[in-house]
Amino acid sequence: MSRFNGRRAEFESSGARINVAILGAGRIAHTMAATLSRMAGDSRYASWIHPYAVAARDADRARAFADQWNLDKSYGSYEELVEDPDVDLVYIATPHSLHAEQAILCMRAGKNVLVEKSFTANAAQAREALAVAKETGLLCTEAIWTRYMPSRSLINGIIDSGEIGEVRSASANLCYPVADKARMTDPACAGGALLDVGVYPLNFLDMAVGSEHGRTLDRFDTSMTPWETGVDAQNSTTLYYDDGTMAVSSSSMLVASDRGGYVWGTEGYLVVRNINNPEGIDVYDGDHRLVRHVDVPAQLTGYEYEVADAAEALLDGKIECSAMPHADTIRIMELMDTIRDRWGLKFPFER
């Protein structure tokens, strides 16, 4: 068990801080390091969140990363990191295909984990990792930042108020021209648009019109265009819910899109600017007149919310965060599995 799991009173009286370590030293790891650095300088977080360590498979690379972000420790292997007794929470920032084994490595060593999306490569891996969380009593949560952001409650507040009437349809897209990144096109890394960017519109729709509003997915239609390696280059999925509501999720690693989220009701509609990191919400009436604009609260980077939620959860002795409970992670992973099954897309390690 980590130092402060379920020991909030002890933690608060000790004056200690939650030591956060980063496993991996790639692009998204730098984003998290920047977030932790800014949290350490912010009065809301500085007294209880501490940027502590990094691990990479190359000691020199880890040391350079630690120097850049003023971390206390650097390690040239993941095993060394998890042996450090002062690590409280590990953010896993490696390719999807490695998430499950690395999360399990951390939890078996007594470390809580915040696992970058997609949580794992498939639902079977997700269930295996979450079983270890239950066995060890350690926190294991998916780091899909939009689930933790305050924009989530703002969007749902508009929908639930009835301002746009009865919601019957929605759409969300996320597309970036990122096919030049090796991991994106490599089946061994669980590459493709779906798991990397497609997970965001699926989660947006789940939060905006799906399970969060009492709807159950009834069926779906889906198609994709493959990259030469066999992974999906771009895709589209139409979701049909039990009450007749429809929603369309689109993603691509070939092109740039407006990244919009659209929820359409009988009396109006709302538009979310950038579902990957909401910048604002516009509410329109049935005649397409802008009724109002809703600002999203200022943030450090947007990653701070998931870090703070994870730290709060481990202090309370929880194995999941309420913003992204295990059941939601499993449901989205199962949906992406069935979408890939429909395409006939399996990764090498699944065959």
Side-chain angles (χ1 to χ4, degrees), residues 3-4 18 31 47 88 106 125 133 140 146 218 224:
R3 297 187 305 164
F4 299 112
I18 301 294
T31 302
S47 65
D88 299 306
C106 291
Q125 290 183 353
C140 181
T146 51
D218 182 56
M224 70 89 156

Side-chain angles (χ1 to χ4, degrees), residues 171-175 197-198 201 205 235-237 248-252 257 275:
S171 176
N173 71 80
L174 191 63
C175 308
V197 292
L205 295 170
N235 62 77
S236 180
T237 299
V248 179
S249 169
S250 302
S251 62
S252 174
S257 72
I275 62 165

Side-chain angles (χ1 to χ4, degrees), residues 107 113 128-140 319 326:
M107 288 185 285
V113 288
E128 184 180 4
L130 296 179
V132 175
K134 186 174 182 180
E135 175 189 339
T136 59
L138 290 162
L139 175 76
C140 181
I319 66 170
H326 293 172

Side-chain angles (χ1 to χ4, degrees), residues 232-294:
D232 64 302
Q234 49 190 355
N235 62 77
S236 180
T237 299
T238 302
L239 307 168
Y240 302 87
Y241 294 96
D242 54 351
D243 67 346
T245 299
M246 290 176 59
V248 179
S249 169
S250 302
S251 62
S252 174
M253 63 179 182
L254 304 182
V255 298
S257 72
D258 67 352
R259 306 172 300 179
Y262 307 90
V263 181
W264 300 304
T266 54
E267 297 178 25
Y269 55 95
L270 65 82
V271 178
V272 179
R273 301 178 186 173
N274 186 8
I275 62 165
N276 189 33
N277 186 8
E279 300 160 5
I281 307 158
D282 291 326
V283 183
Y284 294 85
D285 66 16
D287 293 318
H288 313 289
R289 290 187 295 252
L290 179 64
V291 176
R292 63 189 178 103
H293 171 80
V294 180

Side-chain angles (χ1 to χ4, degrees), residues 4 48 74 107 109 118 127 159 176 194 199 207 246 292 309-310 320 331 350:
F4 299 112
W48 63 294
S74 67
M107 288 185 285
S118 65
R127 283 189 285 268
I159 294 168
Y176 294 107
L194 179 65
V199 67
M207 292 186 286
M246 290 176 59
R292 63 189 178 103
D309 265 31
E320 61 185 352
R331 187 178 63 258
E350 294 177 316

